[in-house]
Amino acid sequence: MRRIAVTADVFDAAHETQALQGGRTDVGAVVTFVGYCRDEAGTLTALELEHFPGMAEAELERIAIEAERRWPLLGLSMIHRHGLIRPGEPIVLVATASRHRAAAFAAAEFLMDFMKTDAPFWKREHRDGSAADPRSAEAWVEAKPTDDAAKARW
Amino acid sequence: MRRIAVTADVFDAAHETQALQGGRTDVGAVVTFVGYCRDEAGTLTALELEHFPGMAEAELERIAIEAERRWPLLGLSMIHRHGLIRPGEPIVLVATASRHRAAAFAAAEFLMDFMKTDAPFWKREHRDGSAADPRSAEAWVEAKPTDDAAKARW
Amino acid sequence: MKALYFAWVRERIGKGEEQLSPPSHVGTVGELIGWLSGRGDNYAYAFENASTIRAALDRTHARHDAPIAGVREVAFFPPMTGG
Amino acid sequence: MKALYFAWVRERIGKGEEQLSPPSHVGTVGELIGWLSGRGDNYAYAFENASTIRAALDRTHARHDAPIAGVREVAFFPPMTGG
């Protein structure tokens, strides 16, 4: 099972995990990662996620297929939201199912590392202090060198 | 938040994850691992988990404290079941919350690796073929060298 | 050829998409960036640090030395920050 | 001193717990295993591969060279297979 979704809606992490394992007796391990919007000590009011429709889904699928090639997965889910996301809300989910835990953990980390660097999404921060010009260029989140380093592990 | 539980009851993974993040705006990443009972291609009818009451909880807590010392965690849960567990049912859950994904992933793998080798639980397999003597010594699962290797990484 | 711009590349150029007809000597992604940069201050600003700009050809990541012959859609955007 | 046995150690010995009063020259976990092994075929069978047997003293993992003086509870069991 491979589930890829790019959506503006809040998703239900429990439902996604359940879809991977529910009723199966060959799955021994499910790893679920959920990334949430933080409020950065109260200074961030929202994240705005821009994406490249069409390519976003295609890129997630390419990353998923590469993970399936590298590890013996029994299922995986990748969900990425776009639009306005409030602190405390989920942004992204990755879930992997396998017979054993090593493959499920490795594949989940791989999916997240590549999603960060290769999937066409861009974050802009809405902060209280910049309310006068919430769409200023300074509000775009800069890519982190640590994300490239995380990808280079694989 | 540190939640440790040793229980005979089926647990709700979604509830445990929710307890770590629900309502918080400082959590950026939650990693959840759930280990399930496999039926081994239909040959296994159940796993029976024996444990050392008292020491099991104490050992899980020692492992949790060590993870909290190594990574900046905002919460963690460790649940391990004992008793009779049927294929498809969850056996163990580990969940970690942190600001960033690297710490949450590393801590979750660390908790699982040490839980496997240090927590006093022993698995016995109930198989169709050994129904005449389901309590035979041969039914005890042997410890895997790969589990010691996984622990030695840390 | 259709061009798409995202995030601050889109904001600096001032539009999200347009049709491009680059001259025939523009053969690669990098050369297309160079040609676009000469079309006005907004383009020059968007591509001022050309090496940081990412490109996709027909929705697949492409390096700056990738040929653009036969490509229907090119996209330019900053390094990605999703996840 | 209370002794607890788990999994196949318990099954081979034939009981889950008992009170032990080892002689004073038995000073370590390893010496206790040796002394128990001489108490009957069931103990000898349980401890036949002594190096694989794990021990806990008052609910904390202990090596075979750990002293048992002052310990209230000792537990013997196979390598753990939870998780």
Side-chain angles (χ1 to χ4, degrees):
Chain A
M1 199 208 83
R2 183 197 310 153
R3 173 162 148 70
I4 306 280
V6 174
T7 173
D9 301 327
V10 172
F11 54 79
D12 178 356
H15 174 81
E16 301 300 327
T17 305
Q18 176 64 15
L20 282 187
Q21 193 276 332
R24 296 187 67 154
T25 53
D26 54 346
V27 169
V30 173
V31 170
T32 308
F33 173 88
V34 181
Y36 294 92
C37 177
R38 297 187 310 266
D39 72 355
E40 307 295 0
T43 64
L44 189 136
T45 54
L47 281 178
E48 192 180 347
L49 267 288
E50 181 170 333
H51 76 300
F52 182 170
M55 182 172 166
E57 293 84 347
E59 195 61 29
L60 294 188
E61 187 145 2
R62 272 192 283 271
I63 297 167
I65 288 169
E66 178 61 21
E68 289 164 352
R69 195 184 67 75
R70 293 187 181 212
W71 292 281
L73 301 181
L74 297 167
L76 71 79
S77 296
M78 300 176 84
I79 305 178
H80 204 305
R81 289 179 65 200
H82 60 84
L84 207 66
I85 298 174
R86 301 287 178 185
E89 288 184 9
I91 304 169
V92 61
L93 173 141
V94 154
T96 54
S98 189
R99 283 173 50 78
H100 299 290
R101 77 184 189 285
F105 268 119
E109 289 203 69
F110 174 92
L111 292 173
M112 277 309 303
D113 286 348
F114 277 77
M115 192 188 260
K116 281 259 176 191
T117 56
D118 288 11
F121 292 86
W122 300 272
K123 285 197 187 90
R124 187 210 301 273
E125 297 179 339
H126 288 231
R127 290 183 181 273
D128 281 334
S130 63
D133 183 16
R135 302 194 71 82
S136 69
E138 294 72 38
W140 289 104
V141 171
E142 270 199 79
K144 295 194 199 77
T146 51
D147 286 331
D148 286 326
K151 176 185 167 187
R153 292 188 291 169
W154 307 101
Chain B
M1 200 208 81
R2 183 198 309 153
R3 173 161 147 72
I4 306 280
V6 174
T7 172
D9 301 326
V10 172
F11 54 79
D12 179 356
H15 174 83
E16 301 301 328
T17 305
Q18 176 65 15
L20 282 188
Q21 193 276 333
R24 296 186 67 153
T25 53
D26 55 346
V27 169
V30 173
V31 170
T32 308
F33 172 89
V34 180
Y36 294 91
C37 177
R38 296 187 310 265
D39 72 355
E40 306 295 359
T43 64
L44 188 135
T45 54
L47 282 177
E48 192 181 347
L49 267 288
E50 181 170 334
H51 76 299
F52 181 170
M55 182 172 166
E57 293 85 346
E59 196 61 29
L60 295 187
E61 188 147 1
R62 271 192 283 270
I63 297 167
I65 288 169
E66 179 60 21
E68 290 164 353
R69 195 184 67 76
R70 294 187 181 212
W71 292 281
L73 301 181
L74 296 167
L76 71 80
S77 296
M78 301 176 83
I79 305 177
H80 204 306
R81 289 179 66 200
H82 60 84
L84 208 66
I85 297 174
R86 300 289 179 183
E89 288 184 9
I91 304 169
V92 61
L93 172 141
V94 154
T96 54
S98 189
R99 283 172 50 80
H100 299 290
R101 76 184 188 285
F105 268 118
E109 288 203 70
F110 174 91
L111 292 173
M112 277 308 303
D113 287 349
F114 277 77
M115 193 188 260
K116 280 260 175 189
T117 56
D118 288 12
F121 291 87
W122 300 272
K123 285 197 186 90
R124 188 210 301 271
E125 296 179 339
H126 289 230
R127 290 184 182 271
D128 280 336
S130 63
D133 183 14
R135 302 194 70 83
S136 69
E138 295 72 37
W140 290 103
V141 172
E142 270 198 80
K144 295 193 199 77
T146 51
D147 286 332
D148 285 327
K151 175 185 167 185
R153 293 187 289 169
W154 308 99
Chain C
M1 175 189 286
K2 185 178 181 182
L4 300 175
Y5 309 119
F6 292 98
W8 54 254
V9 172
R10 171 178 54 69
E11 290 184 337
R12 290 182 180 189
I13 291 175
K15 57 186 121 181
E17 62 176 88
E18 65 182 321
Q19 285 294 326
L20 299 180
S21 300
S24 59
H25 67 81
V26 172
T28 65
V29 168
E31 288 163 9
L32 187 59
I33 289 175
W35 176 72
L36 282 166
S37 299
R39 296 181 82 200
D41 287 350
N42 53 337
Y43 292 96
Y45 181 36
F47 294 116
E48 64 181 355
N49 292 306
S51 66
T52 69
I53 300 295
R54 307 298 176 93
L57 299 178
D58 292 328
R59 306 190 171 181
T60 300
H61 289 296
R63 292 158 38 124
H64 286 202
D65 60 3
I68 59 170
V71 165
R72 283 158 300 152
E73 180 191 272
V74 59
F76 292 109
F77 41 80
M80 288 143 281
T81 55
Chain D
M1 175 188 289
K2 185 179 182 182
L4 300 175
Y5 310 118
F6 292 98
W8 54 253
V9 173
R10 171 179 53 71
E11 290 184 337
R12 289 182 181 190
I13 291 174
K15 59 185 120 180
E17 62 176 88
E18 65 182 321
Q19 286 294 326
L20 299 180
S21 301
S24 59
H25 66 82
V26 172
T28 66
V29 168
E31 288 164 8
L32 186 59
I33 289 175
W35 175 72
L36 282 166
S37 298
R39 295 182 83 200
D41 288 350
N42 54 337
Y43 291 97
Y45 181 36
F47 295 115
E48 65 181 354
N49 293 305
S51 66
T52 69
I53 300 295
R54 307 297 177 93
L57 299 179
D58 292 328
R59 305 190 172 182
T60 301
H61 290 296
R63 291 159 39 124
H64 286 201
D65 60 3
I68 59 171
V71 165
R72 282 158 299 152
E73 181 191 270
V74 60
F76 292 108
F77 41 79
M80 288 143 283
T81 56

